Amino acid sequence: MRTAYSAIQIRGAEHALMALLPEGTLMQRAATGLAAACADLLGLVYGRRVVLLVGSGDNGGDALYAGERLARRGAWVGAVLAGSKTHEAGLRALLDAGGRVVDRSALERADLIVDGLVGIGASGALREPYAGLAEEANAARGTIVAVDVPSGVDASSGQVAGAAVRARVTVTMGAYKTGLLVDPGAAFAGQVELVDIGLGAYLPDPDVAALTGGDVDDLMPRPGNESDKYRRGVLGVAAGSDLFTGAAVLAVGGALRGGAGMVRYAGRRAPVDQVRAHWPEAVVTLLDEPSIEQVGRVQAWVLGPGLGTDDWAYELAGRVLASNVPVLIDADGLTLVARDRGLLRRSAPVLLTPHAGELARLIRADRDDIEAARLEHARRAAAELGVTVLLKGSTTVVAEDSRPVRVNVTGTPWLATGGTGDVLSGVVGALLAQSLSCYDAASCGAFVHGLAGRLAADGAPLAAADVATAIPAAIRAVTSASS
């Protein structure tokens, strides 16, 4: 599991470790790792042009000492001193090694640009001259390496309030920072490389975690020798309408591919006909009235994809939410509960799977604010509504009150097409029916769904049905190692 930490958590660990070490030890460790990463990117170091963007803080010192090491290997190294003060020992070391102080015009000819403008303690928009230097670095031809976090990215949230350095590689010290895993910050970080400077024993519980394939493998349910279709989990799906029949087909397909032992679909005539035609494996119930009494026993429900928001749909949602099993609510179901949040007052678990606009309606927030601060708003919704939240988008996050937010690391921009969210609901619902908690089902389902998207796309456009078809291959990819 990849764990990440807020700036406050990192600072606390650094102070605890620095109290035990000679002064400057951590900076030297950081500079050594940074210089090695820069050398790897340069390939041949001798004769290459390296420009350091040096701020007033420790990141500037890291950059100067790394520049010293590169200069001693024959690189041309120039430092743009942007801060009101400069790390004196670091600058002296650079000059002694043959480096020099240069003006910002040196960026135009740099092979490598090292961003040491601001560190993890910075927040808000970059001020001048930092903002202008960030934009000039982005426009230059040289490869950009950020020290710890790209300048302009909030290390604790991933928020970007203005100009920010867009790095090809971010060399982060001691531990991953939350803002490197969450968009928009993650999009500015590029490839993230971790330098171990000895913080591990001093770090608290993580702020954010990202599951690996091995973690998902450990959590995914597997049938045993005594399994039958009922023991493998029975999922109810209340989705689809005369207008949106495809949503029902896709949600049921995701559930069947996601490993549910049985899927019981309940809906109106048009989606019922489509589900029967596409998925003969599903047990289908035509609902003349918005009641679930005739559907049969289930271990979890998926509620909402394409369901509609009329009185009939509202009454059906109330019946589903009155049950005593976990319920995943998506799409039109979210619109219904946003209209009447009293529907969420139940003792059994609830998992919401909104995109930013749907979450905005649920918690009465602005969509743009949610996009800019995804962690903050997912946490707020989970605490305020007493539910688990899977917030979909460029970074999918899973939030549950009093637990680390989980960030999904799989996926592809090709998944941004109609119907893929319906498939995700089916996959996660299948995991809920197989007794995973909302927190684990959402995390594993998002991982598998994202991986299926990559497999289905393979660098080209996809349709939602392609993602459903690729789900078994994605599950196989994460579980085959221990099968």
Side-chain angles (χ1 to χ4, degrees):
M1 185 177 295
R2 178 180 293 184
T3 54
Y5 302 84
S6 69
I8 291 174
Q9 290 176 312
I10 295 290
R11 289 296 189 215
E14 288 176 342
H15 290 154
L17 180 55
M18 284 191 293
L20 305 175
L21 297 173
E23 185 176 355
T25 300
L26 289 191
M27 184 170 286
Q28 294 300 326
R29 291 177 180 176
T32 298
L34 175 60
C38 290
D40 286 345
L41 283 170
L42 287 169
L44 178 66
V45 175
Y46 187 86
R48 306 300 295 276
R49 298 181 67 88
V50 178
V51 173
L52 315 174
L53 300 180
V54 181
S56 300
D58 288 346
N59 275 34
D62 294 342
L64 289 166
Y65 279 120
E68 173 215 358
R69 287 158 169 78
L70 295 172
R72 293 193 185 282
R73 294 180 60 178
W76 182 98
V77 182
V80 179
L81 305 182
S84 58
K85 59 181 181 178
T86 303
H87 193 283
E88 293 183 2
L91 178 59
R92 186 167 56 251
L94 174 67
L95 297 176
D96 288 346
R100 67 213 71 193
V101 175
V102 298
D103 63 32
R104 61 206 302 163
S105 65
L107 287 168
E108 297 176 4
R109 293 179 293 159
D111 298 306
L112 187 75
I113 300 167
V114 179
D115 165 30
L117 290 174
V118 300
I120 63 174
S123 61
L126 290 177
R127 299 178 181 178
E128 293 297 346
Y130 292 171
L133 283 169
E135 292 175 345
E136 289 178 37
N138 291 341
R141 67 177 180 85
T143 299
I144 300 177
V145 176
V147 183
D148 233 4
V149 294
S151 296
V153 172
D154 189 299
S156 298
S157 68
Q159 294 183 54
V160 177
V165 170
R166 190 174 291 275
R168 176 176 167 187
V169 175
T170 296
V171 181
T172 199
M173 311 304 174
Y176 294 99
K177 282 70 184 178
T178 296
L180 299 176
L181 301 185
V182 180
D183 277 333
F188 286 80
Q191 177 183 335
V192 180
E193 296 186 7
L194 176 65
V195 173
D196 183 1
I197 59 173
L199 294 186
Y202 305 92
L203 291 168
D205 291 339
D207 181 47
V208 162
L211 297 186
T212 66
D215 299 319
V216 176
D217 182 22
D218 289 340
L219 290 169
M220 287 289 285
R222 289 176 171 80
N225 292 335
E226 300 301 318
S227 294
D228 57 34
K229 60 188 177 185
Y230 300 106
R231 291 174 180 170
R232 288 191 55 200
V234 180
L235 178 68
V237 176
S241 60
D242 291 346
L243 186 59
F244 298 111
T245 58
V249 171
L250 292 168
V252 170
L256 289 166
R257 300 289 194 181
M262 178 186 291
V263 177
R264 297 186 186 273
Y265 172 73
R268 290 184 266 196
R269 169 59 65 186
V272 158
D273 290 344
Q274 291 297 316
V275 170
R276 279 179 172 154
H278 283 85
W279 302 111
E281 303 94 330
V283 177
V284 176
T285 301
L286 173 63
L287 298 181
D288 295 319
E289 299 293 333
S291 171
I292 60 171
E293 293 178 359
Q294 66 269 46
V295 173
R297 183 173 176 270
V298 301
Q299 276 78 53
W301 277 98
V302 167
L303 170 68
L307 186 66
T309 58
D310 57 12
D311 291 344
W312 193 95
Y314 174 80
E315 187 172 345
L316 180 61
R319 298 291 182 90
V320 170
L321 287 164
S323 68
N324 62 354
V325 299
V327 177
L328 180 155
I329 309 176
D330 185 33
D332 286 339
L334 296 168
T335 300
L336 293 170
V337 299
R339 185 189 307 165
D340 180 6
R341 298 203 314 190
L343 291 170
L344 296 176
R345 288 196 291 268
R346 63 195 306 265
S347 57
V350 173
L351 169 60
L352 307 183
T353 60
H355 55 59
E358 291 163 339
L359 189 64
R361 293 195 294 272
L362 280 162
I363 60 174
R364 282 60 162 173
D366 182 82
R367 177 177 185 147
D368 290 341
D369 290 343
I370 290 174
E371 293 282 20
R374 301 178 62 78
L375 285 178
E376 173 188 337
H377 289 90
R379 284 181 171 129
R380 172 189 159 188
E384 184 177 307
L385 302 175
V387 299
T388 305
V389 174
L390 186 161
L391 177 57
K392 297 180 285 195
S394 56
T395 302
T396 294
V397 301
V398 177
E400 193 171 280
D401 197 22
S402 302
R403 303 187 76 168
V405 172
R406 283 181 174 166
V407 176
N408 186 50
V409 296
T410 63
T412 167
W414 293 116
L415 278 168
T417 189
T420 57
D422 303 328
V423 176
L424 174 64
S425 292
V427 173
V428 176
L431 296 175
L432 283 176
Q434 294 173 84
S435 299
L436 264 64
S437 68
C438 288
Y439 187 63
D440 287 340
S443 305
C444 292
F447 189 102
V448 168
H449 179 263
L451 182 55
R454 287 185 190 174
L455 295 172
D458 195 22
L462 54 76
D466 301 327
V467 181
T469 300
I471 292 296
I475 294 174
R476 193 177 303 118
V478 297
T479 60
S480 59
S482 60
S483 296

